[in-house]
Amino acid sequence: MSARPTIATAPGAKGKPVTLSTLAEKKALGEPIAMVTAYDYPSAGVAEEAGVDVVLVGDSAAMTVLGYPSTVPVTVEEMLMLAAAVRRGLKTPLMVGDLPFGSYEVSNEQAVATAQRFVKEAGCDAVKLERGGSSIDRAGAIVDAGIPVMGHVGLTPQTATALGGYRSQGRTADRALEVVRDAIGLQEAGCFSIVFEAIPSDVTDLVMPRLEIPVIGIGAGPATDGQVLVFGDLLGIYDGHAARFVKRYADVRAQMVAGVHAFAEDVRARRYPEPDHGYTMAPDERERLKGLLAADRN
Ligand code: KIV
């Protein structure tokens, strides 16, 4: 296997675990926070080595890893399995587990019980939930139970149908005010950070002075304290629809297809395996085996 490149200057790569205080400090110093999603041991290892600050085990896994048509069907059990695998590959970044649709909305008790499973069973440092409204109360209850919570406002994919589909939010002053009130409500409930998804940069610019906690943007313009992208989107692994805010930094899927294709071609042309890929037997043992097989036939 070839040597792995080391990334000496990456901010989270200094071996010191990222904590809530690290993120608050970064906001105070104006140092941008880098967050990516990860869903398994290899993607966690990539995030770790790349030196990001925060890893979200996002329910985007529903689509990008499990092949569901939206984030709605993914279950707590599926998310816990993915999160536990991420935990095994992650040491430094703060690890946030996404509470899936239907696992926290019913009551504060349900929300706390689900959040506790993400911490106890999968080793998450924090959890994330979507929307303002009743989610503000749920976030407060989870925080009161001692578990850090990240909020998520703007386009909230779990309730995209009610929002009119996967479209940007806050494009009218009235709707923007709702998004702003949700964000302030989540901050007041004790969230340590909030994701702003798919809202106009103007709205972000106007609300940022009112937010004391780090805001992580995805399609919310450059004024947030950090940015997040979905692992499969930024690396070009996921072949589904890419939102306007996605920037592709690699074309990994094409490389994977090319690699598997080359393997299949080699197998069909008998170019693989080569002598170096096999195991040898001492000549005397080979001769002895021949004798044993001959005797065995009689
Ligand atoms: O599930 C997810 O990947 C997310 C990010 C887009 C923030 O919620």
Side-chain angles (χ1 to χ4, degrees):
M1 209 177 280
S2 58
R4 294 169 164 198
T6 51
I7 299 165
T9 54
K14 293 168 189 157
K16 220 171 125 196
V18 174
T19 63
L20 305 188
S21 317
T22 317
L23 301 180
E25 255 168 56
K26 279 181 176 284
K27 178 175 173 92
L29 295 170
E31 283 180 19
I33 296 165
M35 169 164 142
V36 292
T37 63
Y39 312 107
D40 55 16
Y41 180 78
S43 56
V46 169
E48 172 77 36
E49 205 165 324
V52 301
D53 304 299
V54 183
V55 165
L56 170 69
V57 187
D59 64 354
S60 49
M63 299 160 85
T64 64
V65 175
L66 301 177
Y68 291 122
S70 75
T71 59
V72 168
V74 73
T75 64
V76 169
E77 305 304 327
E78 287 168 329
M79 288 299 298
L80 287 175
M81 193 200 66
L82 299 176
V86 170
R87 178 75 285 165
R88 290 189 282 273
L90 211 62
K91 289 188 214 69
T92 314
L94 189 85
M95 178 177 156
V96 182
D98 221 356
L99 302 184
F101 180 68
S103 72
Y104 61 90
E105 299 90 333
V106 174
S107 64
N108 288 353
E109 290 70 25
Q110 185 206 26
V112 171
T114 307
Q116 284 172 338
R117 291 193 69 189
F118 274 73
V119 173
K120 280 173 82 114
E121 296 176 35
C124 291
D125 300 312
V127 296
K128 179 169 85 58
L129 45 66
E130 291 190 4
R131 292 190 319 113
S134 58
S135 290
I136 294 175
D137 214 23
R138 306 289 171 263
I142 299 170
V143 171
D144 284 349
I147 298 172
V149 178
M150 176 179 267
H152 184 157
V153 299
L155 172 57
T156 47
Q158 293 177 2
T159 44
T161 308
L163 297 175
Y166 291 88
R167 49 174 55 172
S168 60
Q169 299 294 310
R171 298 181 85 158
T172 64
D174 288 340
R175 176 68 187 123
L177 185 62
E178 280 173 24
V179 173
V180 171
R181 284 185 176 151
D182 286 343
I184 305 284
L186 287 162
Q187 171 169 274
E188 284 169 359
C191 287
F192 73 93
S193 174
I194 304 190
V195 169
F196 278 12
E197 179 164 353
I199 60 173
S201 308
D202 289 332
V203 176
T204 305
D205 293 348
L206 289 169
V207 68
M208 282 305 289
R210 294 181 61 184
L211 287 165
E212 287 151 26
I213 57 176
V215 175
I216 312 294
I218 175 162
T224 53
D225 301 300
Q227 300 288 334
V228 56
L229 278 178
V230 166
F231 192 82
D233 284 341
L234 85 92
L235 290 180
I237 299 171
Y238 179 57
D239 64 346
H241 170 76
R244 179 190 175 91
F245 49 70
V246 171
K247 179 170 175 186
R248 283 250 148 103
Y249 288 86
D251 196 0
V252 172
R253 189 172 192 277
Q255 277 191 277
M256 289 164 93
V257 171
V260 175
H261 180 74
F263 164 71
E265 291 288 287
D266 272 6
V267 169
R268 289 180 188 130
R270 300 193 185 283
R271 283 190 297 265
Y272 176 85
E274 294 161 46
D276 279 357
H277 299 126
Y279 302 93
T280 54
M281 191 181 208
D284 56 336
E285 284 300 320
R286 186 169 177 273
E287 288 313 305
R288 218 164 64 75
L289 175 61
K290 270 186 179 171
L292 288 173
L293 286 173
D296 203 41
R297 212 185 295 147
N298 301 330

